[in-house]
Amino acid sequence: MSKEARLELDGKVFTLPTVEGTEGEKAVDVSTLRAATQYITLDDGYGNTGSCTSKVTFIDGDKGILRYRGIPIEELAERSTFVETSYLLIYGTLPTRAQLKTFSDLLTRHQFLHEDMTYHFEGFPTAAHPMAILSSMINAASCFDAGLMNWQWGKNQQFDIYAAQLISQVRTIAAYSYRKSKGLPLIYPKQSYKYTENFLHMMFSMPYEDFEIKPEVVKALDLIFLLHADHEQNCSTSTVRMVASSQANLFASCAAGVCALWGPLHGGANQAVLEMLDQIHRDGDDGSKFIAAAKDKNSGKKLMGFGHRVYKNHDPRATIIKKACDDVLAKLNISDPLLDIAKKLEEAALKDSYFVERKLYPNVDFYSGIIMRAIGIPVEMFTVIFAIGRMPGWIANYKEIMEEPKSRIYRPRQIYTGRTLNPFVPLGDRK
Ligand code: CMC
């Protein structure tokens, strides 16, 4: 029998239905609350609000569990690839061999940008942040496809193509934005390379010499993409859903996701972590001064790459990335002082009552930057790498909201706390 919640307000008792997910997560469904009571719920930062039901990703933040379509992240990290995992997220099941081939072929077929788009890169100043270029160019890409601009969910069958185009082209745009920032000639993708190899090729090859693609580098970067591929209703995915709920097209919705991801509290944290570690290194601090500052609310500092809204235990992605970080640095024979600082910071924080009491653990961004630095990715591209990885998750959530027959435009309410009725004062009478 389904449970009901009882709410007593203004002397009356109201009943509200409850909802239980497949993993036992429970919610009180307040969708009828305002109509019945005139009250809304208020939840600053949505910390306690479920904005949707979803079948894509499950997180148990207390136990440190993350699963895509039910499959533990540890198994995917060990046995899958970013492309296969993208298919899983978008279509709900692991692909058969034939489905994977069709999906990979679609990615390859749609990896080129419209040639006229290369002129758009010219318009950005050299110092433009690649995240700004990425979101602008994803939106611009939709203008080169009349079908996408006029496309409506359910009215035609183009979704598979547009999803593949976006996953594939985001990588091309990302590499081009880097080349542009360095004043380097653009390198076109190669048909023969797989997804992650091609990204490295477009980033680092020269017209006169191909970049040497090392398997350990491909493996590490592919893993980073895979680990970032989805993370349920975080800031950027909620943004994608918000924009999609107005029935904006797939590219416009995901371009908005890129902007939401950019901030240092979300995807921008990976850049901020590296900058923090670098600063600690240059200051000659062993980490203790920085930890003290991060605990002081007046310092304006935080231990970047630590803490999470949902994980109150180890972020399983961080555990996988830390190990990958040790592996790749050893294989590339690199010794990075920033890795030593990161490990010292982690060790100190995990013993410190401030971090222990607040259940603050390293998150996915704490070690990912050290891997990216080791494979030659410049720091300003770190959040772009996150965005490339997150694209299938955004697309899966876009698809889910479009396929939901009862989905409505997202439109939260507010409690107004401004001035009450306030008559207009003509300019000459204002003091
Ligand atoms: N350093 C120092 N104090 C922290 C940190 C931190 N990194 N994170 C949280 N706290 C404190 C916070 O000030 C608060 O203290 P108090 O209870 O005394 O007011 C307490 O811990 C609870 O934190 P919160 O602010 O309620 O946490 P939140 O859920 O609002 O924010 C967060 C989550 C990830 C934005 C935050 O932990 C943070 O800013 N971390 C650093 C940035 C970062 O690494 N972001 C990447 C997140 S993982 C990648 C992604 O999915 O985006």
Side-chain angles (χ1 to χ4, degrees), residues 30-170:
V30 294
S31 40
T32 57
L33 183 68
R34 187 171 178 279
T37 67
Q38 292 292 301
Y39 282 78
I40 61 167
T41 54
L42 183 62
D43 182 17
D44 192 25
Y46 306 137
N48 209 30
T49 294
S51 60
C52 59
T53 57
S54 176
K55 295 183 168 61
V56 182
T57 288
F58 171 68
I59 301 177
D60 182 329
D62 294 322
K63 295 193 184 132
I65 291 174
L66 168 61
R67 296 181 198 141
Y68 297 162
R69 301 284 187 182
I71 305 182
I73 193 69
E74 293 80 2
E75 283 185 42
L76 292 166
E78 179 74 31
R79 305 170 68 177
S80 187
T81 62
F82 174 62
V83 168
E84 186 183 56
T85 296
S86 301
Y87 184 101
L88 168 73
L89 283 167
I90 296 170
Y91 297 106
T93 53
L94 284 170
T96 62
R97 210 177 286 278
Q99 286 167 331
L100 186 58
K101 173 151 188 345
T102 307
F103 185 60
S104 301
D105 289 349
L106 265 187
L107 294 180
T108 305
R109 201 171 319 138
H110 292 284
Q111 62 191 348
F112 286 92
L113 303 180
H114 190 293
E115 192 58 22
D116 289 352
M117 272 188 74
T118 56
Y119 301 113
H120 284 258
F121 286 94
E122 304 302 317
F124 290 100
T126 315
H129 195 287
M131 284 296 274
I133 302 182
L134 189 68
S135 67
S136 314
M137 295 304 275
I138 290 174
N139 241 332
S142 69
C143 306
F144 287 88
D145 190 320
L148 180 62
M149 294 292 285
N150 302 321
W151 175 65
Q152 271 186 303
W153 188 265
K155 294 260 163 71
N156 50 35
Q157 301 303 315
Q158 295 288 314
F159 173 77
D160 294 349
I161 291 176
Y162 290 132
Q165 198 175 319
L166 189 47
I167 291 176
S168 201
Q169 290 187 357
V170 68

Side-chain angles (χ1 to χ4, degrees), residues 231 234 261 264-270 273 294-295 297 301-310 312 315 317 354-355 358 360 363-365 386 390:
H231 213 236
N234 53 81
L261 187 74
L265 297 189
H266 190 12
N270 54 16
V273 169
K295 294 193 289 183
K297 297 276 191 280
K301 293 197 166 121
K302 275 183 166 184
L303 185 53
M304 300 311 287
F306 253 72
H308 200 275
R309 172 65 60 80
V310 180
K312 300 301 167 197
D315 175 341
R317 304 168 300 171
Y354 174 96
F355 294 91
R358 289 169 179 76
L360 303 172
N363 59 49
V364 68
D365 293 318
F386 192 152
R390 185 53 54 89

Side-chain angles (χ1 to χ4, degrees), residues 372-391:
M372 291 193 261
R373 182 170 132 109
I375 62 186
I377 304 216
V379 73
E380 64 279 10
M381 285 293 287
F382 286 7
T383 314
V384 172
I385 300 287
F386 192 152
I388 297 174
R390 185 53 54 89
M391 201 51 76

